[in-house]
Amino acid sequence: MKIFLKILGLDDNRSEILPGRDREKKKVADSRGRVFGRAVEIAVTGFLAVFLLTGCGGERMETRREINRIYMEAEKTAEDRAKAYIAEKYGMDASAEGYWVQGYHDFFAPYINSNVVVFMEYDGKKFCAGIDVDDETVLWDNYQREEIGAVLQEYFTELYHLPWPYKEDTKFWLESAPNYHTATPTEWREKGYDHSNMVNFYFQEQTAEELLARMSRLKFHDSWLSMEQPLDSLSFEAGDWPVCEGGSVEWNLRVYTSPEAEYTDRSVEYPDIAGFPYFKEWRRTRITDRGTEEEELSGESWNFHSAQNKGIMVISRLPFEIEDILCIREGAEEWNVDRGNGKTEAYRLVSDVYEVTEESPDSYYAAVMHVSGEFAEQYGAPLYILSHNKETGKVKIVKYIFSREELNALSADESNRDYKVHSNGTCGMSSGFQYAVAERKEE
């Protein structure tokens, strides 16, 4: 920076000695010079920052130009090409409702992708078509995804002699599928669109084996309300699934005790949270590297057991048995919660005390606790779930119990509203703690 100022003649580090009047003139000049110099310094700093952030060259500008070109081409051709493709393939005049360019501008990580998803509708049915603005041979759509998914689902259920699930979702990817983003933008998802399961062929009652041979990945998400056989008894064989070499097939299978689980089925990674409190079984199995001499078979399975006691349900996940959770009737009828600054709040227990007797061997929850709406409605005051640390004696509030009126008042678009409605309890009961439902005592 000093070099720039010296070049501009604004370096004020001169040390010559001047007479009094000249010294005063020098002070005024130096003052003005410092103000101007500071302004120049800021400008130069900004110039250097812009120079550095733009990539110290034309690479970033070239990326921006390429993304802009894709957007311009999409605006000119995407909807018309998609409509023409659907008209030729299915003989129908579908309407294009809008499009989504897969490439995007990002200050730190711009992404060049010439794929464009066009959102379409015909006779009340919503679907997607995909094009490539640079390659007219790349054309995809998911108009027939239900028909293709039904064939694959039927193959799966018949192969393992399973009842048809009350809820099923089949996802598949073709061997040569373009690099589409997996998540549909919220704006279009809320309008009922989903660009999964895109294919580049016309489905004409091909067999499951013929379909599997074209797919690199296949996922089943199936749920039942009852099963005659346990899920861990199913035997998956790689030879039954002729997917493409290097491909994979994955099963996510679940059994619930209530159809209300449909509203809480949120998470594959944490199944005891997703279906709580209605989970009975969950199994995930995956076969990968199809076509090699050593297919890799991996998976995991959990069973859930529950016990009902006076309106409170406790659910345990194996290897824990439900007997690993004790119900203690004796003990304190009142717990005090430390609120800091020497203040405490007294809570009267309105339930039995529950205690997990075994430590969890992994990061998943060993047990969960659910409080029914009928139980909560017996009390006029708000209820809470408290935890008591047996080692330190400390008590804290771990969950507020919503009343039915409060649950009904939750807005429809609130995050995880259904999960709140159907899991009015607490997850993650841990060994070394006691849990109870309580109401706050009036001071």
Side-chain angles (χ1 to χ4, degrees):
M1 184 58 63
K2 292 183 181 297
I3 294 175
F4 277 97
L5 294 177
K6 186 177 288 293
I7 292 173
L8 295 172
L10 298 173
D11 185 9
D12 59 358
N13 289 330
R14 290 167 290 182
S15 60
E16 63 266 27
I17 300 175
L18 300 173
R21 180 177 296 179
D22 292 341
R23 194 180 305 121
E24 292 299 322
K25 291 181 180 179
K26 172 67 168 58
K27 288 182 180 178
V28 173
D30 285 351
S31 177
R32 292 174 179 172
R34 280 193 294 271
V35 172
F36 181 65
R38 180 59 177 164
V40 172
E41 184 177 352
I42 293 174
V44 172
T45 301
F47 172 77
L48 290 174
V50 170
F51 181 76
L52 292 172
L53 289 174
T54 53
C56 299
E59 182 178 349
R60 180 172 177 80
M61 294 302 297
E62 180 62 31
T63 299
R64 291 181 61 85
R65 282 193 293 267
E66 178 63 13
I67 295 174
N68 288 338
R69 182 193 67 81
I70 293 172
Y71 271 81
M72 292 176 62
E73 289 296 322
E75 184 177 0
K76 289 189 299 183
T77 66
E79 294 187 357
D80 289 340
R81 282 177 56 187
K83 289 177 64 177
Y85 162 61
I86 295 299
E88 180 180 358
K89 184 175 182 180
Y90 301 108
M92 60 190 191
D93 185 19
S95 61
E97 304 297 316
Y99 62 89
W100 169 36
V101 179
Q102 295 279 286
Y104 54 82
H105 290 290
D106 183 274
F107 189 80
F108 296 103
Y111 179 58
I112 298 176
N113 190 325
S114 56
N115 291 325
V116 181
V117 174
V118 182
F119 302 99
M120 312 195 72
E121 184 171 350
Y122 177 76
D123 197 21
K125 182 174 181 178
K126 296 179 179 180
F127 63 100
C128 297
I131 72 161
D132 186 318
V133 297
D134 294 329
D135 188 344
E136 295 186 0
T137 66
V138 176
L139 295 163
W140 309 76
D141 73 278
N142 60 5
Y143 182 76
Q144 295 179 301
R145 58 184 171 184
E146 288 86 2
E147 294 89 333
I148 296 173
V151 172
L152 296 171
Q153 182 66 53
E154 184 176 4
Y155 177 83
F156 165 66
T157 53
E158 289 186 354
L159 182 63
Y160 299 109
H161 308 288
L162 297 171
W164 197 267
Y166 89 94
K167 182 182 177 183
E168 55 88 14
D169 183 22
T170 304
K171 301 287 186 183
F172 51 83
W173 294 260
L174 293 185
E175 182 181 21
S176 57
N179 183 26
Y180 285 116
H181 288 297
T182 56
T184 307
T186 302
E187 173 192 358
W188 292 101
R189 188 168 62 250
E190 291 177 348
K191 294 179 181 179
Y193 288 96
D194 178 7
H195 75 286
S196 63
N197 297 7
M198 305 273 272
V199 299
N200 62 346
F201 60 87
Y202 184 64
F203 175 67
Q204 293 178 300
E205 305 300 329
Q206 289 95 332
T207 65
E209 289 83 355
E210 291 174 312
L211 295 172
L212 288 168
R214 307 184 69 162
M215 295 175 183
S216 62
R217 287 186 292 166
L218 173 63
K219 286 187 178 182
F220 291 100
H221 295 268
D222 288 7
S223 301
W224 294 268
L225 295 181
S226 64
M227 289 279 284
E228 294 183 359
Q229 59 178 324
L231 293 179
D232 56 11
S233 68
L234 298 178
S235 177
F236 298 109
E237 300 293 338
D240 296 330
W241 297 91
V243 294
C244 298
E245 183 174 349
S248 66
V249 58
E250 180 177 315
W251 300 267
N252 291 277
L253 311 178
R254 286 156 281 200
V255 179
Y256 299 103
T257 61
S258 167
E260 290 183 87
E262 179 179 352
Y263 298 103
T264 61
D265 189 2
R266 301 293 188 192
S267 173
V268 171
E269 288 76 15
Y270 302 98
D272 38 351
I273 298 175
F276 164 73
Y278 307 106
F279 240 133
K280 288 185 64 178
E281 294 181 73
W282 181 85
R283 178 176 178 180
R284 178 170 60 193
T285 306
R286 179 181 175 90
I287 294 177
T288 57
D289 296 330
R290 173 61 184 161
T292 65
E293 294 182 358
E294 296 182 1
E295 290 84 10
E296 179 185 351
L297 182 64
S298 61
E300 45 204 347
S301 179
W302 288 280
N303 289 350
F304 298 85
H305 297 264
S306 62
Q308 187 86 19
N309 179 44
K310 299 179 181 178
I312 296 178
M313 180 186 294
V314 179
I315 302 98
S316 176
R317 177 181 63 80
L318 289 178
F320 296 101
E321 300 291 345
I322 199 67
E323 291 78 12
D324 292 332
I325 302 169
L326 296 180
C327 180
I328 306 169
R329 295 185 181 276
E330 67 275 5
E333 295 185 357
E334 182 179 299
W335 285 352
N336 294 319
V337 177
D338 184 2
R339 286 303 198 182
N341 298 324
K343 297 180 180 180
T344 60
E345 294 176 348
Y347 288 81
R348 184 178 69 87
L349 305 188
V350 298
S351 76
D352 294 329
V353 179
Y354 297 86
E355 179 182 336
V356 181
T357 60
E358 299 291 335
E359 293 185 1
S360 177
D362 53 34
S363 60
Y364 290 101
Y365 297 130
V368 293
M369 181 177 177
H370 175 72
V371 181
S372 68
E374 292 75 12
F375 181 93
E377 288 172 358
Q378 299 177 41
Y379 302 89
L383 297 182
Y384 305 83
I385 297 179
L386 307 181
S387 72
H388 170 250
N389 188 319
K390 293 178 61 180
E391 181 177 348
T392 65
K394 184 178 180 179
V395 177
K396 68 177 183 178
I397 300 171
V398 295
K399 186 75 173 184
Y400 173 77
I401 304 299
F402 284 94
S403 67
R404 191 174 299 275
E405 291 74 18
E406 289 172 314
L407 290 174
N408 292 336
L410 291 174
S411 61
D413 58 351
E414 183 168 344
S415 176
N416 292 332
R417 176 182 183 273
D418 291 329
Y419 173 69
K420 291 180 181 178
V421 169
H422 295 281
S423 64
N424 217 354
T426 185
C427 296
M429 296 173 63
S430 301
S431 177
F433 291 81
Q434 295 175 337
Y435 298 84
V437 180
E439 62 179 356
R440 183 180 177 183
K441 294 183 64 176
E442 296 293 336
E443 297 181 358

